């Protein structure tokens, strides 16, 4: 019978053969190893649980911990990064999940689901977080190019314009493969964090965080063109819930293969971003 073990950074080589079985050719060994580094100073000193049988890892449930300020309150997150179990040990898969469900005081999230794990998580009380992405190609209306606002992409001066909350987000992700956008109007600004994943052999700019939706919507014509040109992206990607009903012209929706999920006694889905997740670390 297999036993459960907390996984530390030193266990990466033991678990890596399981991660390779996920067959994602876009993810290098270096990128997988990022899941075993405490990038955000979390108090938790482990990165998931391994299922060990006769000294060999036959299963792994990856976890990523973070503490995020939301609505002026600090919230603890536990994000599922991966779940893989050898075929002969799948009858014991649930052992990996049980200790996580016993955690108290955390919002649980899962952004990368298989069909099988989606139904398991739903039975465990998880709710749908996101079902669709909005695709915004660089097709602006010329009248959207007002001189009253500007869009900066990866400028070294961006940090000096940020308030305390957004500056923390900036520093938390500054050593990762992220891109920063700042939209400035005469009286306000919007800070955006993006990655540049490759999907169906095309590069996209995935916007994981938008600090001010009103400014984003007002300035979208310039944002969509400038960001796509600067990052050499085919289009912007935004989680539909992040737009909160805002309609973007000349855009369309893409339905995710499986919805993202969350479980929380403290937050609703509009409060949750993908900033502190494997979507950024693995550039998914």
């Amino acid at each position: 019978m297999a036993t459960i073990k907390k996984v530390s950074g030193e266990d990466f080589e033991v678990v890596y053969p399981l991660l390779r079985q996920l067959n994602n050719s876009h993810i290098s060994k270096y990128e997988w190893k990022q899941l075993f580094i405490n990038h955000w100073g979390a108090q938790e000193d482990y990165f998931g649980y391994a299922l060990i049988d006769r000294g060999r890892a036959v299963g792994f449930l990856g976890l990523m911990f973070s503490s995020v300020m939301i609505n002026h309150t600090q919230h603890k997150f536990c994000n599922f990064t991966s779940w893989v179990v050898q075929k002969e040990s799948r009858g014991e898969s649930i052992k990996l999940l049980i200790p996580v469900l016993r955690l108290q005081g955390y919002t649980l999230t899962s952004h990368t689901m298989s069909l099988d794990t989606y139904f398991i998580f739903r039975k465990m009380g998880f709710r749908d977080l996101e079902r669709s992405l909005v695709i915004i190609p660089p097709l602006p209306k010329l009248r959207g190019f007002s001189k009253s606002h500007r869009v900066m992409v990866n400028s070294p001066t961006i940090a000096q314009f940020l308030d305390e909350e957004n500056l923390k987000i900036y520093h938390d992700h500054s050593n990762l493969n992220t891109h920063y956008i700042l939209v400035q109007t005469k009286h306000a600004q919007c800070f955006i964090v993006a990655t540049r994943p490759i999907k169906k052999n095309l590069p996209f700019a995935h916007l994981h965080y938008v600090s001010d939706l009103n400014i984003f919507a007002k300035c979208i014509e310039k944002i969509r063109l400038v960001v796509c040109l600067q990052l050499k992206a085919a289009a912007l990607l935004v989680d539909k819930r992040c737009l909160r009903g805002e309609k973007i012209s000349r855009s369309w929706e893409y339905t995710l293969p499986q919805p993202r999920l969350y479980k929380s006694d403290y937050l609703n889905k509009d409060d949750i971003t993908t900033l502190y997740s494997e979507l950024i670390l693995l550039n998914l």
Side-chain angles (χ1 to χ4, degrees):
M1 182 178 293
T3 59
I4 297 297
K5 176 186 183 297
K6 276 187 177 181
V7 172
S8 70
E10 297 176 352
D11 296 313
F12 171 69
E13 293 293 344
V14 175
V15 173
Y16 178 60
L18 289 170
L19 297 174
R20 290 182 62 185
Q21 294 180 24
L22 295 175
N23 292 325
N24 193 321
S25 59
H26 292 296
I27 304 176
S28 66
K29 184 176 182 179
Y30 171 81
E31 289 172 319
W32 279 121
K33 195 168 185 178
Q34 298 308 300
L35 300 182
F36 296 76
I37 298 172
N38 188 352
H39 294 280
W40 301 302
Q43 294 180 346
E44 297 79 5
D45 60 353
Y46 63 103
F47 303 97
Y49 290 92
L51 195 62
I52 306 296
D53 187 13
R54 288 169 286 187
R56 184 172 65 100
V58 296
F60 174 66
L61 178 64
L63 303 174
M64 182 182 299
F65 293 96
S66 60
S67 180
V68 183
M69 184 70 72
I70 300 174
N71 299 326
H72 309 292
T73 302
Q74 206 73 21
H75 291 271
K76 294 193 295 183
F77 282 80
C78 175
N79 178 60
F80 295 83
T81 64
S82 49
W83 192 4
V84 55
V85 181
Q86 297 276 30
K87 185 176 181 179
E88 66 272 14
S89 301
R90 287 178 185 166
E92 299 184 84
S93 297
I94 199 66
K95 289 182 178 180
L96 293 165
L97 189 57
I98 290 173
V100 187
L101 297 177
R102 291 174 178 165
L103 287 173
Q104 299 293 318
Y106 290 82
T107 290
L108 306 179
T109 57
S110 183
H111 301 295
T112 46
M113 281 277 142
S114 69
L115 183 60
D116 291 339
T117 55
Y118 172 75
F119 288 112
I120 292 172
F121 276 54
R122 286 287 298 186
K123 290 179 180 179
M124 296 292 180
F126 283 71
R127 291 176 285 176
D128 286 356
L129 174 65
E130 185 59 82
R131 287 182 170 270
S132 303
L133 296 177
V134 177
I135 302 173
I136 308 173
L139 301 172
K141 295 178 181 177
L142 293 180
R143 63 180 175 83
F145 283 80
S146 170
K147 293 183 179 179
S148 65
H149 59 268
R150 65 172 178 164
V151 179
M152 294 187 288
V153 180
N154 291 332
S155 168
T157 64
I158 286 177
Q160 72 186 48
F161 296 105
L162 302 179
D163 59 22
E164 183 179 359
E165 185 172 326
N166 285 312
L167 188 60
K168 182 179 187 306
I169 292 172
Y170 179 96
H171 288 309
D172 282 351
H173 296 80
S174 60
N175 292 324
L176 304 176
N177 191 21
T178 52
H179 301 276
Y180 296 124
I181 299 115
L182 188 68
V183 185
Q184 291 183 312
T185 68
K186 289 182 178 179
H187 305 292
Q189 62 189 26
C190 174
F191 176 53
I192 301 169
V193 180
T195 55
R196 188 178 177 274
I198 304 296
K199 298 180 181 294
K200 298 187 182 299
N201 297 317
L202 289 173
F204 289 86
H206 189 165
L207 310 187
H208 297 273
Y209 174 74
V210 177
S211 70
D212 191 309
L213 180 58
N214 291 330
I215 294 176
F216 178 78
K218 177 182 178 181
C219 305
I220 186 58
E221 303 303 336
K222 184 176 283 189
I223 293 170
R224 68 199 299 167
L225 182 61
V226 171
V227 173
C228 287
L229 287 176
Q230 290 287 320
L231 298 185
K232 296 180 173 59
L236 308 180
L237 299 179
V238 188
D239 287 12
K240 182 180 178 180
R241 75 183 184 287
C242 296
L243 295 176
R244 303 190 181 188
E246 188 75 42
K247 300 297 182 182
I248 306 296
S249 62
R250 297 172 311 289
S251 69
W252 63 91
E253 292 183 24
Y254 166 74
T255 302
L256 295 168
Q258 278 75 236
R260 298 178 187 150
L261 295 171
Y262 79 108
K263 186 176 183 180
S264 180
D265 294 328
Y266 316 98
L267 299 170
N268 62 54
K269 63 182 180 180
D270 290 337
D271 296 319
I272 299 171
T273 73
T274 52
L275 274 176
Y276 297 85
S277 76
E278 77 280 13
L279 296 182
I280 284 185
L281 293 185
L282 300 180
N283 199 28
L284 298 175

